[in-house]
Amino acid sequence: MTALTLSTSAAAALRADAVVVGVSKAAKGGPVLAPGAESVDAAFGGKLGATLETLGATGAEGELTKLPAPDGVKAPVVVAVGLGEPPAADEGFDPEALRKAAGTAARALAGAKKAAYALPADEPALVEAVGIGALLGAYKFTAYQADAGKAPLGEVAVVGAKPRDKAFKAAVERAVAVAVEVNRARDLVNTPPNDLTPKAFAAEVQAAAKEFGLKVEVLDEKALLKGGYGGIMGVGQGSATPPRLVRVAYTHPKANRSLAFVGKGITYDSGGISLKPPGHNETMKCDMSGAAAVFAAVVASAKLGLQVNVTGWLALAENMPGGGATRPGDVLRMYGGKTVEVLNTDAEGRLVLADALVRASEESPDAIVDVATLTGAMVLALGDGRFGIMANDDAFRTAVHGAALAEGEDSWPMPLPQALRKTFDSPTADIANMGVRQGGGLVAGLFLREFVGEGITWAHLDIAGPAFNEGGPSGYTPKGGTGSAVRTLVALARRTAEGELL
Ligand code: BES
Ligand code: MN
Ligand code: ZN
């Protein structure tokens, strides 16, 4: 893991492999150097901005320019990263622009030992943004490669901060805790499904629980059968590797609020008997991203010592078409007794989540938030960069959207239209696992709502779009698993702990 440190030195005076400065766009003319770059610019005789313009820099987001440093700068290389539009006169820099720029620089500096970051981050919240962006941008998944290429950037030293100031120290600790946990979620998502079985995933949680003092319970296939978890068992029974339900809890002795996070943990989604066609199954190891996010968020809440109780529920199963698999036409009896006619075995996420939502509701948390790579329909609706938020409470949905926005996680509120509810009526069972195709993401949300305990505030995040990046890396987002929703969940836990929510 890349180290994150603070330094009081001027950027030009710090011994490092590179010094990173920011540039903003200008209304006309060349890019504008952002605050923090002063000592570096002085070594250029005040001509760094003009030099960058000559090199073609504009200050656009995602832009990166490398140039050799002149005498007077200890680092041999200057890296200028684009920050996009400059902030309005009375506003500070956008934290998300800083995260992205810091991540872009960290990716470009793979192989280097140390970089001095001289971005416009002079207050704790912005140092935290730079830190998170850099640590997330430096991430690379190489566990299965003999030739892993360049090592991630070794150390990010944020200059201009006050290392002995408590608020700055806390900002670094928060950045490290959250980034390490987002990267934990990414590792789990990227791990191939022949290795990350439900059992192996549960073992990972048990190991972390021991390390961070969490309480963990794992229901194996025997316990699930005995307990009547028909949804999780029904999805897992076509696989040679049996399902698990994991409860992992962080508690604070002074907490007066409790949150339940529920994650879809399909370690591989083949579609089951309703098999997915080629072209739709290559990335389906990502179908446990919700469970990974929940697990990571519980650990992060513990590391941060938040004054709130956070219980994670991981519904883990592999959806395969083996001889024992659930057939389209089968009726499952879910935990709690509701019956579901399975019309399409590829609509499996809602089945495992249903059991977990009923079980989580039994503990009467103040709110439940579930996270799932649930529908292709949500990807068609919102594109692949943002998750949809549905809820049984408008104010809570708005609050979740606000928390996501503040963390730089793109998302959008979506409705739960009552008119779609009857489309998953079943002639045989209480309900069916599929309704109309139009608005399929909302139908899935309505299905989940049926399993949330009476009177419990609930939100559903459909992260099918952003969970797995099939394109190239950008900003702090790598190719592959992204760790989508971890930061939003942690923000919800923090806001609840601070009495701002619920
Ligand atoms: N895991 C998929 C959804 C998905 C699609 C995740 C693309 C990530 C990227 C889910 O289990 C699924 O197959 N959903 C079906 C539901 C349908 C059969 C009602 C879908 O969206 O097609
Ligand atoms: Mn599916
Ligand atoms: Zn799925």
Side-chain angles (χ1 to χ4, degrees):
M1 228 325 257
T2 309
L4 183 63
T5 57
L6 297 174
S7 171
T8 40
S9 307
L14 203 68
R15 231 174 261 290
D17 298 303
V19 53
V20 177
V21 300
V23 277
S24 298
K25 282 168 93 167
K28 60 173 190 216
V32 181
L33 272 188
E38 294 82 1
S39 66
V40 180
D41 188 30
F44 275 89
K47 293 201 174 75
L48 178 53
T51 305
L52 286 167
E53 184 178 9
T54 307
L55 289 169
T58 64
E61 252 184 37
E63 180 184 273
L64 184 134
T65 313
K66 284 185 186 173
L67 57 168
D71 284 347
V73 178
K74 282 248 170 71
V77 174
V78 174
V79 174
V81 276
L83 292 166
E85 297 297 334
D90 54 345
E91 274 175 35
F93 276 84
D94 172 20
E96 181 62 1
L98 289 172
R99 284 184 206 106
K100 284 181 178 161
T104 299
R107 273 191 293 115
L109 288 167
K113 285 211 165 57
K114 179 173 178 173
Y117 270 54
L119 293 170
D122 52 0
E123 52 171 287
L126 298 181
V127 168
E128 184 177 345
V130 167
I132 286 194
L135 299 185
L136 293 182
Y139 174 86
K140 227 173 128 186
F141 184 73
T142 56
Y144 290 79
Q145 287 169 327
D147 178 4
K150 290 177 182 168
L153 171 61
E155 179 184 343
V156 169
V158 179
V159 303
K162 304 190 186 84
R164 271 171 289 279
D165 182 307
K166 254 166 105 183
F168 281 94
K169 270 192 193 161
V172 168
E173 279 165 22
R174 278 199 302 274
V176 172
V178 172
V180 167
E181 292 313 312
V182 172
N183 288 339
R184 177 199 299 278
R186 290 170 170 183
D187 277 344
L188 287 164
V189 175
N190 289 329
T191 301
N194 53 335
D195 280 349
L196 193 78
T197 60
K199 189 175 163 186
F201 197 151
E204 289 283 333
V205 181
Q206 274 164 324
K210 211 168 168 189
E211 187 177 350
F212 301 106
L214 308 169
K215 194 173 168 219
V216 62
E217 287 163 53
V218 178
L219 299 189
D220 64 10
E221 69 272 30
K222 276 190 205 134
L224 289 167
L225 192 65
K226 198 162 164 233
Y229 292 85
I232 297 173
M233 284 305 289
V235 172
Q237 72 195 29
S239 167
T241 168
R244 297 283 184 269
L245 175 64
V246 178
R247 177 187 187 276
V248 56
Y250 160 67
T251 54
H252 188 286
K254 288 197 213 136
N256 52 20
R257 288 284 181 277
S258 59
L259 289 172
F261 294 155
V262 176
K264 170 177 173 180
I266 300 300
T267 57
Y268 185 71
D269 183 10
S270 73
I273 298 292
S274 315
L275 197 63
K276 284 184 189 293
H280 291 261
N281 49 25
E282 294 80 358
T283 59
M284 278 304 138
K285 67 175 181 181
C286 82
D287 217 18
M288 35 55 70
S289 296
V294 164
F295 171 33
V298 173
V299 176
S301 301
K303 285 183 172 176
L304 297 171
L306 301 179
Q307 195 177 324
V308 56
N309 293 336
V310 185
T311 304
W313 298 92
L314 282 57
L316 308 174
E318 188 183 46
N319 189 23
M320 294 289 274
T326 292
R327 317 151 188 79
D330 281 356
V331 172
L332 304 176
R333 185 173 295 278
M334 317 300 276
Y335 185 72
K338 228 178 230 125
T339 58
V340 176
E341 180 177 16
V342 178
L343 295 178
N344 188 324
T345 63
D346 199 10
E348 84 297 340
R350 62 197 75 181
L351 298 174
V352 298
L353 288 170
D355 280 356
L357 286 168
V358 175
R359 179 65 189 87
S361 296
E362 284 181 350
E363 300 185 356
S364 302
D366 292 300
I368 300 178
V369 180
D370 79 67
V371 188
T373 46
L374 204 60
T375 66
M378 196 57 60
V379 191
L380 294 182
L382 295 179
D384 58 15
R386 55 206 54 73
F387 57 80
I389 311 170
M390 284 143 273
N392 61 2
D393 177 308
D394 288 350
F396 191 58
R397 188 188 55 229
T398 303
V400 173
H401 186 211
L405 195 64
E407 296 299 317
E409 293 211 90
D410 276 339
S411 66
W412 203 252
M414 299 296 275
L416 291 173
Q418 194 54 34
L420 297 178
R421 164 59 193 86
K422 61 179 181 303
T423 71
F424 56 91
D425 280 348
S426 160
T428 315
D430 293 334
I431 49 175
N433 79 329
M434 225 181 78
V436 279
R437 216 167 67 86
Q438 297 89 341
L442 320 180
V443 170
L446 284 161
F447 181 95
L448 296 181
R449 192 181 67 177
E450 299 287 312
F451 297 89
V452 176
E454 190 73 34
I456 300 178
T457 303
W458 159 80
H460 157 58
L461 314 185
D462 189 338
I463 61 167
F468 198 82
N469 177 20
E470 293 187 57
S474 76
Y476 55 81
T477 307
K479 202 173 167 57
T482 61
S484 176
V486 175
R487 289 179 293 142
T488 298
L489 292 180
V490 176
L492 289 173
R494 190 190 312 122
R495 288 177 182 205
T496 305
E498 288 167 4
E500 295 166 19
L501 197 76
L502 300 166

